Amino acid sequence: MIDLRNIGHIYNNGLSNQCRALIDVNLNIKEGEYISIVGQSGSGKTTLLNVVSGLMKPTEGEVLFEGTDIYKLNIDGLAKHRNKSIGFIFQNYFLEPKFTAFENVAIPLLNNKITKEEILNSVSKALTEVGLYDKADKLVSMLSGGERQRVAIARAIVNNPKVIFADEPTGNLDTTNGEMIMSLLEKFWKQGKTIILVTHNEIQAKRAKKTIKIEDGKIVSVLGNE
Ligand code: ADP
Ligand code: MG
C-alpha cells in the first residue's frame, strides 16, 4: 500500500545548522499491517512519520501510496489524500481548546461537501467509538488528557481513513489512559485499518506485529513480534 523509495531528508539544507534526519530509507507497508517505529530521541521517527503520512515532503526520494507518488500531486491533491486516506494522532493532541469535542472531531469533515445530518452522524459515530459520545458538547479545555487524546483519535478516524499514524500518542498520559489509547488503536487495526505507531515504550512497541528500529536516520532492523 505504501512504498518508500530512497527517502532522505535534510533540514536546513546548506545552512550551518543543517541536519540530516533521514538517510536512504526504503520500506514497504502493506494494507492491514500494525507497525511500531522505535528509536532514540532525535533518531528521525517523527520525520519519518511526517514524510510517510504526507505531512512533509522529503528532500529526496518518493512516497508511493497505492501506486501514486503523493508528493507529485498538486496541493489540492495532497490535501485530499491526507483528508481521505490518513488519520494522524500526536503526542500533544493538537486540538482546538476553545471548541467542543464535537466541533474538533467535525473539523476534517468541513471541506467535504456533505450535509449537516451527515456531519452529525459521522461525528457521533466517531465519538461513540472512543467512548466519548456523552462528552460531545464539552469544551476540550475541560477534558482530561486521556479524554483529549480520545477526541483526537475520533478526529483521526472520522473520515474513515485507511491508515492511522500515531506519534507517541501515549507520551503525555498515565498508564491507564495510555492503555485505553493502545486498546483503541488495536480495535481499529482489527477493523482492518493499517496502524503505524511511533513509541518510546518497548512493551507497547511489541504489541505491534512488526517493529522498525531507526538509528541516526537509518532503518537498522525490521523485526516481527510474537
Ligand atoms: P525523533 O522523533 O526520533 O525524536 P525527529 O524526527 O524529530 O526525531 O528529529 C530527527 C533529527 O532532525 C533530530 O536531530 C532533530 O533535531 C532534527 N530536526 C527535527 N525537526 C527539525 C526541524 N524542524 N528543523 C531542524 N532540524 C530538525
Ligand atoms: Mg518525535
Side-chain angles (χ1 to χ4, degrees):
M1 173 162 61
I2 302 175
D3 243 316
L4 301 188
R5 298 203 178 146
N6 310 105
I7 297 291
H9 191 73
I10 302 175
Y11 289 106
N12 306 318
N13 200 357
L15 303 176
S16 59
N17 58 350
Q18 169 171 318
C19 174
R20 192 175 272 271
L22 291 176
I23 301 166
D24 198 28
V25 172
N26 290 279
L27 182 66
N28 178 264
I29 298 167
K30 294 187 185 65
E31 185 156 15
E33 279 201 293
Y34 178 8
I35 295 176
S36 56
I37 301 176
V38 299
Q40 289 190 347
S41 182
S43 57
K45 304 182 296 297
T46 294
T47 305
L48 181 61
L49 212 61
N50 290 346
V51 164
V52 182
S53 62
L55 294 180
M56 186 177 75
K57 185 178 166 141
T59 51
E60 296 158 55
E62 294 172 347
V63 178
L64 304 183
F65 186 92
E66 296 179 337
T68 301
D69 183 345
I70 60 170
Y71 293 109
K72 290 228 170 80
L73 296 168
N74 61 22
I75 291 176
D76 269 5
L78 183 57
K80 216 172 255 170
H81 161 71
R82 282 195 302 252
N83 193 256
K84 194 177 82 161
S85 304
I86 75 147
F88 213 114
I89 308 162
F90 306 88
Q91 180 172 351
N92 298 321
Y93 327 130
F94 277 118
L95 299 169
E96 293 289 341
K98 289 182 181 151
F99 286 8
T100 64
F102 185 97
E103 289 163 343
N104 270 281
V105 177
I107 290 172
L109 298 172
L110 300 180
N111 299 327
N112 307 358
K113 290 195 182 87
I114 57 173
T115 63
K116 266 193 180 162
E117 195 188 354
E118 284 167 321
I119 291 179
L120 184 65
N121 286 340
S122 299
V123 174
S124 303
K125 182 162 173 268
L127 282 170
T128 304
E129 287 271 14
V130 301
L132 282 180
Y133 180 70
D134 58 329
K135 303 256 164 99
D137 295 326
K138 286 239 188 285
L139 288 181
V140 156
S141 56
M142 306 301 278
L143 299 178
S144 71
E147 289 169 339
R148 287 180 202 198
Q149 192 59 300
R150 281 150 65 201
V151 172
I153 292 180
R155 181 185 56 187
I157 60 156
V158 73
N159 268 330
N160 195 24
K162 289 186 177 172
V163 193
I164 297 175
F165 294 93
D167 193 355
E168 307 204 31
T170 68
N172 287 347
L173 301 175
D174 59 38
T175 316
T176 310
N177 279 299
E179 176 52 38
M180 210 178 274
I181 302 306
M182 288 299 293
S183 312
L184 283 171
L185 290 178
E186 278 157 22
K187 178 171 87 166
F188 298 132
W189 175 65
K190 285 184 184 141
Q191 290 173 0
K193 297 201 184 302
T194 307
I195 309 287
I196 303 171
L197 165 74
V198 166
T199 178
H200 258 108
N201 180 317
E202 287 206 8
I203 298 167
Q204 281 184 3
K206 289 220 168 85
R207 285 165 70 161
K209 304 306 148 196
K210 196 191 255 185
T211 300
I212 293 170
K213 188 165 184 197
I214 155 165
E215 269 176 32
D216 298 329
K218 287 183 226 153
I219 292 180
V220 292
S221 68
V222 181
L223 292 175
N225 297 321
E226 285 306 303

